[in-house]
């Protein structure tokens, strides 16, 4: 049954030949990995928000989804919605082509009977209630400011593409695509703006390299007054060996969503295997440890030391020749 006061949605689309994220495009088991991430995201969201509808939304037919996965979500009171990828579509070889499915889902959800709408990436863990998020979403669209600057190459590219499309010369705030929350009214207006941007991109054959984030950020520039940084409620943690960027904010009592891109095929899978697949829910402290927030494994520490030493040894050898 469709409907409900608030919805927390985790969209995931798959089509052969279409590009998703860089991290898993070459992984043969990427759908299996993503579905296990989805299970962790949905079940953790439902644990802390039992009165909200938590929904896995996909273009994959139910009969094509694994029985174990379906049972886990059903037992956890997670709804499964099938929405065709019929809006915000680009060609199969378009970078991040599948990421635009989130915008497709949002455009469908605003047509339904929900008071507040939130969507999340699959590689997240929810550790708090959304009551404050819903309250703020009454008057603002909440998006996550990833705080990039000109010392980040991807931000330079982002600015170039935005300015080329808009005919401007500015350095806009870059909001990520992992989190969106708004009232139905604000989300409806935002979708209208995004549709206009999408139509222009199709008409002009404009190509971007930042996926759904591009359309979201161009839409933001049309009405910045309606946007608020969701950084109090969501944070992107990079926990990889070569690139590690975390803070202790995961302990913050207001932080509801941990976005863990480097844990897609590591910590998130461990959480699924050790806990969620067995119908168990770990404590937040266990999640922090498994996902390398509060604890760095010894092997990771050794590899980081080696990675730092090798360039120094290479430079030393150059000077000794």
């Amino acid at each position: 049954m469709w409907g409900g006061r608030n919805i927390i949605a985790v969209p995931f689309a798959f089509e052969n030949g279409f590009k998703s994220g860089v991290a898993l495009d070459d992984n043969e088991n990427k759908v299996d990995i993503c579905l296990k991430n989805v299970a962790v995201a949905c079940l953790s969201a439902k644990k802390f928000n039992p009165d909200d509808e938590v929904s896995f939304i996909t273009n994959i037919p139910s009969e094509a989804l694994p029985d174990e996965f379906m049972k886990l979500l059903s037992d956890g009171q997670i709804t499964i919605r099938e929405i065709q990828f019929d809006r915000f579509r680009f060609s199969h070889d378009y970078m991040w082509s599948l990421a635009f499915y989130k915008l497709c889902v949002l455009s469908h959800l605003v047509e339904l009977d929900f008071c507040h709408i939130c969507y999340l990436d699959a590689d997240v863990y929810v550790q708090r209630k959304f009551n404050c998020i819903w309250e703020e979403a009454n008057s603002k669209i909440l998006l996550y400011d990833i705080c990039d600057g000109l010392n980040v190459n991807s931000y330079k590219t982002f600015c170039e593409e935005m300015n080329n499309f808009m005919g401007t010369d500015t350095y806009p705030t870059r909001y990520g695509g992992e989190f969106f929350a708004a009232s139905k009214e604000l989300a409806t207006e935002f979708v209208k703006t995004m549709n206009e941007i999408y139509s222009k991109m199709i008409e002009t054959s404009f190509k971007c390299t930042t996926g759904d984030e591009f359309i979201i950020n161009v839409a933001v520039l049309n009405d910045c007054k309606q946007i608020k940084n969701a950084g109090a409620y969501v944070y992107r943690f990079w926990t990889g060996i070569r690139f590690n960027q975390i803070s202790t904010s995961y302990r913050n009592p207001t932080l509801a969503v941990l976005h863990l891109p480097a844990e897609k095929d590591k910590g998130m899978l461990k959480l699924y295997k050790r806990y969620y697949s067995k119908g168990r829910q770990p404590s937040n402290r266990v999640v922090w440890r498994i996902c390398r927030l509060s604890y760095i494994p010894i092997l990771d520490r050794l590899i980081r030391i080696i990675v730092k030493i090798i360039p120094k040894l290479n430079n030393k050898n150059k000077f000794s020749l």
Side-chain angles (χ1 to χ4, degrees):
M1 177 175 131
W2 291 82
R5 181 171 175 77
N6 304 319
I7 184 170
I8 301 171
V10 180
F12 173 71
F14 179 77
E15 291 186 31
N16 283 322
F18 278 67
K19 292 178 179 280
S20 54
V22 175
L24 294 177
D25 264 336
D26 297 327
N27 194 312
E28 293 180 0
N29 300 316
K30 64 181 178 182
V31 174
D32 179 66
I33 291 172
C34 286
L35 290 180
K36 288 174 179 176
N37 277 247
V38 165
V40 174
C42 287
L43 292 169
S44 62
K46 189 64 175 179
K47 173 185 176 181
F48 290 98
N49 301 277
D51 296 328
D52 296 330
E53 178 166 347
V54 178
S55 183
F56 169 49
I57 302 182
T58 184
N59 67 335
I60 303 173
S62 295
E63 58 270 21
L65 292 168
D67 291 340
E68 178 189 275
F69 174 79
M70 294 286 285
K71 186 177 187 308
L72 277 176
L73 266 56
S74 176
D75 290 348
Q77 298 183 306
I78 309 300
T79 59
I80 299 176
R81 315 291 190 191
E82 186 179 339
I83 292 181
Q84 295 303 310
F85 195 174
D86 55 2
R87 304 175 185 178
F88 294 97
R89 281 183 69 95
F90 291 91
S91 60
H92 72 281
D93 58 345
Y94 201 99
M95 188 172 289
W96 297 93
S97 55
L98 288 177
F100 291 96
Y101 182 67
K102 287 179 283 186
L103 307 186
C104 170
V105 166
L106 179 61
S107 71
H108 280 277
L109 290 180
V110 297
E111 298 171 358
L112 303 175
D113 186 23
F114 294 113
C115 186
H116 300 100
I117 299 167
C118 173
Y119 70 70
L120 306 169
D121 271 357
D123 52 350
V124 304
Y125 170 76
V126 176
Q127 63 173 13
R128 308 282 183 213
K129 293 180 179 179
F130 272 34
N131 55 323
C132 292
I133 292 174
W134 299 137
E135 184 173 345
E136 292 216 42
N138 284 321
S139 58
K140 294 289 183 181
I141 294 172
L142 299 176
L143 293 167
Y144 175 58
D145 180 353
I146 61 177
C147 296
D148 273 352
L150 287 173
N151 55 329
V152 179
N153 288 331
S154 61
Y155 178 70
K156 291 180 183 178
T157 301
F158 165 78
C159 290
E160 289 173 4
E161 292 180 352
M162 291 278 286
N163 288 326
N164 287 339
F165 184 78
M166 301 283 291
T168 56
D169 186 18
T170 60
Y171 301 109
T173 298
R174 182 176 180 180
Y175 293 99
E178 62 261 68
F179 178 91
F180 174 96
S183 66
K184 177 178 179 176
E185 291 73 21
L186 290 175
T188 299
E189 291 304 310
F190 200 67
V191 166
K192 287 180 182 177
T193 302
M194 291 195 296
N195 267 316
E196 293 171 0
I197 296 162
Y198 170 71
S199 296
K200 182 179 177 181
M201 290 175 71
I202 295 297
E203 290 171 8
T204 59
S205 298
F206 188 88
K207 287 193 174 183
C208 67
T209 60
T210 50
D212 57 308
E213 291 184 8
F214 180 82
I215 294 180
I216 288 170
N217 281 279
V218 175
V220 166
L221 290 179
N222 281 268
D223 193 356
C224 295
K225 294 180 181 178
Q226 295 291 349
I227 309 300
K228 182 174 180 181
N229 178 19
Y233 307 114
V234 58
Y235 192 89
R236 186 187 294 185
F237 296 91
W238 287 103
T239 53
I241 294 174
R242 290 185 176 274
F243 182 64
N244 184 267
Q245 188 177 43
I246 64 172
S247 75
T248 56
S249 62
Y250 57 85
R251 300 173 183 168
N252 191 323
T254 67
L255 195 68
V257 180
L258 311 180
H259 184 204
L260 304 162
E263 299 300 324
K264 280 186 181 75
D265 56 351
K266 294 179 177 62
M268 293 290 281
L269 295 189
K270 289 179 181 178
L271 289 174
Y272 178 85
K273 183 178 180 180
R274 298 179 188 178
Y275 294 92
Y276 291 95
S277 66
K278 299 176 181 178
R280 300 163 55 201
Q281 293 265 9
S283 68
N284 286 344
R285 288 187 177 277
V286 168
V287 174
W288 300 340
R289 183 179 177 87
I290 289 178
C291 291
R292 300 184 289 181
L293 294 172
S294 62
Y295 172 75
I296 301 174
I298 294 175
L299 182 59
D300 281 20
R301 295 181 190 181
L302 289 174
I303 294 175
R304 286 179 187 177
I305 291 171
I306 292 171
V307 168
K308 289 180 180 179
I309 290 175
I310 289 176
K312 293 180 181 179
L313 290 176
N314 287 337
N315 290 333
K316 185 176 180 181
N317 289 334
K318 287 179 184 178
F319 287 114
S320 63
L321 291 177

